């Protein structure tokens, strides 16, 4: 009876998970390099050079980087720009008030950003950062001259543009749009942004379209080789942000294996002890 | 010496026993407490709830040593615990996972009571203390959830405290009094901290003691719902179907503890966020009173009740009012209420029906949510079935229980999701099913062909 019950419950739970898909730009899966020290170190270097100018990481201490294989000397020589002690936290000089004045919004602290941007039962925050940093395109209609596919009208310009090189975007969406007469009809929009951010937008009404909404974006780099290097760098940077959000995660998983092995042994002993006691109970 | 008690024990234990009932208490509650010998898997969860309570208290003590209950410092002090405090991450994950596992264990423990009729006479007080523990636990979890001072902490507290403002007349002032400010702020954080670490834990421990004393007074129920004290006894007057709790069930519970700790450790070490259900991802963003998140969802263990709150819209109060009128008519014509109650109960129901349509639906949402918990207190008097255990009930009763469980889980799922018309309709149906399960129980629980309950418990030697 109870087994049957549990079966029904398990079934209803799987349905619940299938339901949980969400909208928005589809995030790409970031390569998993969490155990790759070289990647984490490259990510740390990029982070300190390109992100730490505007974003703080107030919960992160510079010498925590020794856990990804850097020495205090290396940190001091190569990564200390905003302070002079390796024991310092990654604070920045810009105050949130100034930031708000200059950019319209204070750049968020990045200590735990990779956890904050995760989706329940969905893509991780590392996937978010990886996709976000690779989907900037030039758009002259925005104040910074930049726009983003993951975060439309984001206040942040593409800080990594020199590493990325020039790119153009062709974005096709099919969505239902309100018409002049008040009805709504399927409409196809093709927006082309060239490398300088000048756009050309074409709209057409689709009659008898009964499919699902479409959102397809094709980013074309002027130099594919540069783009490949860039993708690799962004993968390292996202990887580092993922590590920084929870620096003890590597030890945690390693320790977990031993804890579970111990508990399995404990279960075995408890089970046999129980069986011995109950052997004579009739 | 004059006035000294005579005891069987000697030495240090004898010295203590002359002054404190140590040996007799150990006997009463452990080695000579006779529990039915046919306990099954479902009987692990009581002792596991005790284990989790201890884990929460011990890890909580260490967290308080490093946590700062201050709106400016709270968020970063949690990250300080995670990064700088030796083993702080483990302590914190044990506490956060413990909170969710507490509810897992308690829900299963309550479900066991539901299956085997453990709330029936003479165990009404055991059940009532238990529901009071559940209610305190909800309070404890709610107050504790504000402390990390993330976006979900902040806006979750904002939503729940705002519910009190729905109470007619005193509501708005009451909400300000609870917060200590016009919005959730530092003052709120400080008082929630006080409730979380002192007030509610004291109440919780007191209730747990009362729960166990009441249980040991009347004796444990069992999967057959047979009273072992009324069964055959041996020549010392001990029930033949009982077995000393210690050592038999202490070693038995040890197996449950090992199994539980494996699950607990697997979550802590390999997925402490549990996909965003145990630690909500939005809560890694510091609280921002100026930025409302697009979707506010409480933690999973509150979501079934949160669904019932959201389900109660103005349209839905028509349904509830209709049900109240129907109940009034049926009770007046067919009910067997005595004397003045025959008139009074239908009149009260009609009055409720009128109020349902006059007072703001938001208030009734709060009533539905609160009522869904409070109704559990009355369970011993709602169940009129001639047998206690689900084992001897008609088969269709079992399907009702299955529907109830699935319904509760679906409500839980809906509570985590952003509202949309389909989901709202589903949670309205779910709310009706949940409430009807209990409110119509006096009727349905006595209908059907019940199986013969055996004289002795069914026990197969291991």
């Amino acid at each position: 009876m109870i087994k049957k019950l549990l079966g029904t419950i398990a079934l209803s739970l799987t349905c619940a998970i299938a339901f949980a898909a969400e909208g928005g730009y589809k995030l790409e899966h970031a390569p998993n390099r969490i155990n790759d020290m070289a990647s984490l170190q490259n990510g740390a270097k990029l982070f300190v050079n390109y992100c730490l100018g505007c974003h703080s990481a107030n919960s992160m201490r510079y010498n925590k980087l020794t856990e990804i294989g850097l020495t205090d000397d290396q940190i001091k020589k190569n990564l200390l720009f905003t302070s002079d002690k390796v024991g310092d936290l990654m604070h920045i000089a810009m105050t949130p008030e100034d930031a708000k004045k200059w950019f319209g919004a204070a750049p968020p602290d990045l200590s735990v950003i990779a956890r904050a941007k995760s989706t329940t039962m969905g893509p991780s925050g590392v996937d978010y950062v990886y996709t976000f940093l690779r989907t900037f395109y030039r758009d002259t209609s925005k104040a910074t001259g930049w726009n983003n596919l993951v975060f439309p009208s984001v206040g942040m310009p593409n800080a990594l543009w020199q590493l990325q090189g020039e790119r153009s975007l062709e974005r096709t969406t099919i969505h239902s749009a309100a018409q002049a007469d008040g009805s709504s009809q399927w409409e196809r929009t093709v927006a082309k942004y060239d490398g300088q951010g000048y756009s050309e937008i074409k709209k057409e009404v689709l009659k008898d379209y009964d499919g699902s909404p479409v959102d397809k974006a094709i980013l074309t780099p002027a130099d594919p080789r540069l783009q490949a290097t860039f993708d690799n760098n962004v993968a390292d940077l996202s990887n580092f942000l993922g590590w920084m959000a929870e620096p003890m995660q590597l030890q945690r998983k390693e320790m977990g294996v031993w804890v579970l092995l111990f508990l399995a042994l404990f279960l075995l002993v408890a089970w046999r002890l129980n069986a011995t006691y109950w052997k004579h109970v009739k | 010496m004059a006035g000294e008690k005579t005891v069987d024990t000697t030495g240090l234990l004898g010295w203590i026993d002359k002054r404190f009932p140590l040996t007799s208490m150990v006997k009463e509650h452990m080695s000579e407490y006779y529990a039915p010998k046919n306990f099954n898997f479902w009987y692990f969860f009581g002792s596991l709830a005790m284990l989790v309570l201890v884990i929460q208290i011990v890890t909580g003590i260490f967290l308080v040593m490093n946590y700062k209950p201050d709106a400016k410092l709270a968020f970063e002090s949690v990250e300080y615990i995670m990064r700088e405090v030796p083993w702080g991450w483990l302590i914190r994950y044990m506490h956060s996972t413990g909170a969710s596992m507490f509810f897992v264990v308690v829900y299963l423990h309550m479900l066991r009571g539901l299956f085997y009729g453990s709330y029936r006479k003479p165990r009404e007080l055991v059940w009532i203390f238990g529901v009071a523990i559940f209610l305190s636990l909800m309070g404890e979890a709610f107050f504790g959830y504000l402390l990390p001072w993330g976006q979900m902490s902040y806006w979750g507290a904002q939503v729940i405290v705002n519910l009190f403002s729905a109470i007619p007349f005193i509501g708005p002032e009451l909400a300000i009094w609870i917060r200590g400010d016009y919005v959730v702020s530092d003052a709120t954080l400080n008082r929630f901290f006080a409730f979380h670490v002192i007030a509610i834990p004291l109440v919780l421990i007191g209730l747990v003691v009362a729960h166990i004393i009441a249980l040991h007074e009347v004796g444990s129920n069992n999967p057959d719902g047979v009273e072992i004290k009324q069964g055959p006894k041996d020549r010392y007057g001990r029930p033949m179907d009982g077995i000393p709790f210690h050592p038999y069930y202490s070693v038995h519970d040890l197996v449950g503890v090992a199994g539980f700790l494996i699950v607990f450790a697997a979550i802590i070490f390999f997925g402490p966020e549990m996909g965003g259900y145990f630690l909500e991802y939005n809560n890694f963003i510091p609280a921002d009173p100026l930025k409302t998140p697009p979707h506010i969802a409480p933690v999973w263990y509150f979501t079934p009740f949160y669904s019932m709150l959201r389900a109660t819209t103005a349209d839905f109060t028509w349904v509830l009012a209709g049900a109240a009128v129907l109940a009034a008519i049926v009770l007046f014509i067919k009910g067997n209420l005595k004397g003045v109650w025959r008139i009074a109960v239908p009149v009260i129901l009609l009055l409720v029906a009128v109020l349902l349509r006059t007072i703001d639906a938001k208030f009734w949402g709060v009533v539905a949510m609160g009522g869904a918990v409070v109704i559990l207190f009355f369970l011993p008097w709602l169940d009129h079935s001639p047998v206690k255990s689900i084992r001897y009930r008609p088969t269709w009763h079992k399907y009702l229980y299955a529907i109830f469980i699935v319904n509760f889980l679906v409500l839980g799922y809906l509570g985590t999701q952003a509202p949309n018309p389909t989901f709202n309709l589903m949670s309205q149906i779910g709310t009706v099913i949940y409430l009807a399960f209990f409110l119509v129980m006096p009727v349905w629980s006595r209908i059907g062909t019940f199986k013969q309950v055996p004289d002795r418990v069914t026990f197969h030697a291991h």
Side-chain angles (χ1 to χ4, degrees):
Chain A
M1 168 62 216
I2 281 166
K3 270 184 199 130
K4 215 189 272 175
L5 240 168
L6 290 176
T8 331
I9 292 165
L11 195 74
S12 68
L13 279 181
T14 40
C15 298
I17 291 159
F19 253 104
E22 270 189 48
Y25 188 80
K26 196 173 176 324
L27 298 182
E28 278 167 80
H29 200 66
N32 182 2
R33 297 180 183 169
I34 193 66
N35 290 306
D36 180 347
M37 290 301 142
S39 159
L40 287 170
Q41 290 172 11
N42 184 38
K45 192 186 83 192
L46 290 165
F47 177 74
V48 170
N49 280 287
Y50 290 94
C51 310
L52 216 47
C54 298
H55 293 277
S56 58
N58 288 333
S59 295
M60 178 70 190
R61 230 171 260 290
Y62 282 98
N63 60 2
K64 198 104 198 158
L65 295 173
T66 52
E67 288 178 21
I68 53 170
L70 296 168
T71 63
D72 277 357
D73 263 359
Q74 285 173 319
I75 298 168
K76 228 179 260 179
K77 270 190 205 129
N78 306 316
L79 301 171
L80 274 184
F81 300 123
T82 54
S83 58
D84 49 3
K85 291 195 209 80
V86 286
D88 279 343
L89 292 164
M90 292 184 173
H91 292 310
I92 51 166
M94 182 169 67
T95 64
E97 290 76 28
D98 282 341
K100 209 154 198 174
K101 224 183 304 169
W102 300 334
F103 297 102
D109 184 88
L110 296 185
S111 309
V112 288
I113 200 74
R115 301 188 95 175
K117 289 293 182 187
S118 298
T119 319
T120 304
M121 299 309 278
S124 73
V126 177
D127 295 338
Y128 179 95
V129 175
Y130 179 69
T131 316
F132 170 72
L133 290 176
R134 288 165 55 258
T135 51
F136 273 102
Y137 59 94
R138 282 210 189 264
D139 180 352
T140 48
S141 69
K142 300 293 164 199
T144 56
W146 289 97
N147 206 336
N148 190 283
L149 291 174
V150 175
F151 190 155
S153 306
V154 63
M156 170 182 162
N158 186 4
L160 303 166
W161 67 278
Q162 285 165 307
L163 298 179
Q164 187 168 29
E166 201 170 279
R167 297 194 308 170
S168 61
L169 167 73
E170 183 182 320
R171 188 178 195 184
T172 314
T173 57
I174 301 179
H175 55 273
S176 104
Q179 303 298 313
D181 61 354
S183 68
S184 86
Q185 258 181 319
W186 288 99
E187 194 175 83
R188 188 204 325 252
T189 313
V190 182
K192 287 182 182 165
Y193 293 85
D194 68 8
Q196 303 308 313
Y198 296 104
S199 59
E200 179 192 346
I201 297 172
K202 272 190 217 147
K203 285 183 183 179
E204 63 175 314
V205 172
L206 298 179
K207 293 222 164 70
D208 309 321
Y209 181 82
D210 58 351
S212 48
V214 171
D215 187 353
K216 211 171 76 183
I218 303 165
L219 287 157
T220 317
D223 180 352
R225 277 221 328 251
L226 190 60
Q227 178 69 34
T229 320
F230 177 75
D231 286 351
N232 189 44
N233 276 327
V234 171
D236 287 348
L237 178 54
S238 322
N239 186 30
F240 173 75
L241 285 169
W243 174 80
M244 185 172 71
E246 199 196 359
M248 83 301 291
Q249 58 188 296
L250 299 177
Q251 295 99 294
R252 162 162 75 73
K253 289 173 204 158
E254 205 178 282
M255 193 180 296
V257 175
W258 295 104
V259 172
L260 286 184
L261 282 174
F262 167 79
L263 286 173
L265 194 68
F266 175 48
L267 177 66
L268 188 74
V269 172
W271 171 49
R272 288 325 303 160
L273 184 70
N274 179 55
T276 309
Y277 268 96
W278 280 78
K279 202 161 55 185
H280 306 293
V281 179
K282 293 282 178 285
Chain B
M1 206 174 84
E4 199 166 80
K5 204 163 65 172
T6 46
V7 293
D8 297 335
T9 47
T10 54
L12 178 63
L13 192 57
W15 188 90
I16 294 170
D17 278 337
K18 281 177 186 153
R19 290 156 181 85
F20 180 84
L22 182 63
T23 301
S24 66
M25 271 173 69
V26 169
K27 281 185 174 172
E28 191 186 340
H29 295 290
M30 303 284 290
S31 61
E32 288 176 15
Y33 174 67
Y34 289 89
K37 55 187 179 186
N38 60 333
F39 280 178
N40 59 16
F41 170 78
W42 292 93
Y43 284 77
F44 281 129
F45 298 107
S47 60
L48 290 180
M50 288 268 282
L51 173 72
V52 183
L53 178 65
V54 172
I55 290 174
Q56 291 307 84
I57 290 173
V58 174
T59 53
I61 290 169
F62 285 96
L63 288 177
V64 171
M65 289 179 195
N66 295 288
Y67 170 77
K68 305 258 188 297
D70 178 318
K72 285 204 177 65
L73 306 172
F75 186 87
E76 279 181 16
S77 80
V78 172
E79 278 307 313
Y80 176 81
I81 291 170
M82 293 295 293
R83 290 152 194 265
E84 313 284 342
V85 175
W87 298 102
W89 61 270
L90 181 60
I91 301 283
R92 196 262 176 136
Y93 281 155
M94 283 174 81
H95 201 75
S96 63
T97 310
S100 276
M101 290 312 282
F102 214 151
F103 278 92
V104 169
V105 165
V106 164
Y107 277 136
L108 291 172
H109 188 59
M110 293 168 82
L111 194 58
R112 192 276 315 273
L114 207 60
F115 281 155
Y116 301 134
S118 307
Y119 46 83
R120 300 293 292 276
K121 191 184 171 188
R123 299 186 182 81
E124 298 96 326
L125 272 180
V126 181
W127 175 260
I128 286 175
F129 285 133
V131 179
I133 290 172
F134 176 56
L135 209 58
S136 313
L137 194 61
M138 291 176 104
E140 180 70 356
F142 169 64
F143 290 129
Y145 203 65
L146 184 68
L147 307 188
W149 205 245
Q151 273 291 70
M152 277 299 146
S153 298
Y154 185 89
W155 290 97
Q158 187 80 289
V159 167
I160 300 298
V161 178
N162 274 345
L163 295 180
F164 288 92
S165 63
I167 297 170
F169 309 113
I170 57 166
E173 275 72 31
L174 182 65
I176 294 172
W177 185 71
I178 291 170
R179 285 187 296 254
D181 203 336
Y182 294 98
V183 289
V184 172
S185 69
D186 189 59
T188 324
L189 176 60
N190 280 290
R191 58 188 58 192
F192 277 28
F193 181 65
F195 278 113
H196 183 74
V197 303
I198 303 165
I200 309 264
L202 280 179
V203 173
L204 211 47
I205 291 168
L207 284 170
V208 168
V209 170
H211 188 63
I212 290 166
I213 290 177
L215 173 72
H216 289 188
E217 186 65 27
V218 293
S220 309
N221 185 34
N222 60 77
D224 286 306
V226 173
E227 289 302 332
I228 60 164
K229 283 182 182 174
Q230 287 162 16
K233 297 195 170 82
D234 68 4
R235 60 200 162 99
Y236 304 105
R238 300 177 300 204
M240 302 273 274
D241 280 342
I243 197 155
F245 179 85
H246 181 74
Y248 293 96
Y249 278 117
S250 35
V251 292
H252 192 247
D253 283 345
L254 214 53
V255 180
V257 166
F260 171 80
L261 286 180
I262 286 175
V263 175
F264 192 57
I267 297 170
I268 289 173
F269 289 99
F270 297 103
E273 303 107 338
M274 200 67 177
Y277 284 110
F278 284 15
L279 287 172
E280 289 177 293
Y281 293 120
N282 252 341
N283 227 24
F284 287 104
I285 303 170
D288 185 348
L290 300 175
K291 208 158 131 198
T292 317
H295 171 51
I296 302 171
V299 204
W300 70 270
Y301 40 76
F302 286 137
T303 50
F305 301 100
Y306 186 60
S307 274
M308 295 189 220
L309 169 83
R310 285 199 304 193
T312 315
T313 55
D315 298 339
F316 190 60
T317 55
W318 279 115
V319 178
L320 294 178
V325 172
L326 197 69
I329 296 168
V330 170
L331 279 177
F332 183 71
I333 297 170
K334 299 209 80 169
N336 47 4
L337 296 163
K338 301 275 177 311
V340 43
W341 291 112
R342 173 139 196 180
I343 305 292
V345 172
V347 167
I348 291 169
L349 280 169
L350 289 176
L351 198 66
V352 168
V354 173
L355 290 176
L356 268 163
R357 292 297 311 145
T358 43
I359 302 176
D360 187 12
K362 191 177 155 197
F363 169 72
W364 292 108
V366 179
V367 172
M369 184 172 69
V373 180
V374 170
I375 205 167
L376 296 172
F377 281 110
F378 298 96
L379 194 54
W381 296 277
L382 293 172
D383 187 351
H384 288 229
S385 115
V387 304
K388 279 182 191 157
S389 169
I390 192 172
R391 285 186 178 174
Y392 305 107
R393 287 176 170 233
T395 312
W396 64 268
H397 279 207
K398 296 174 189 175
Y399 290 118
L400 274 191
Y401 280 98
I403 291 170
F404 176 78
I405 295 165
V406 171
N407 180 55
F408 192 73
L409 293 172
V410 169
L411 281 174
Y413 168 71
L414 295 171
T416 64
Q417 298 299 304
N420 73 40
T422 321
F423 281 2
N424 290 358
L425 183 66
M426 283 170 76
S427 31
Q428 286 170 345
I429 295 169
T431 307
V432 170
I433 293 175
Y434 181 94
L435 293 177
F437 178 82
F438 290 111
L439 292 174
V440 192
M441 192 183 266
V443 179
W444 68 256
S445 63
R446 49 180 123 198
I447 304 173
T449 323
F450 293 83
K451 296 178 190 114
Q452 181 63 42
V453 181
D455 297 328
R456 302 277 303 266
V457 300
T458 29
F459 176 73
H460 309 288
H462 293 260

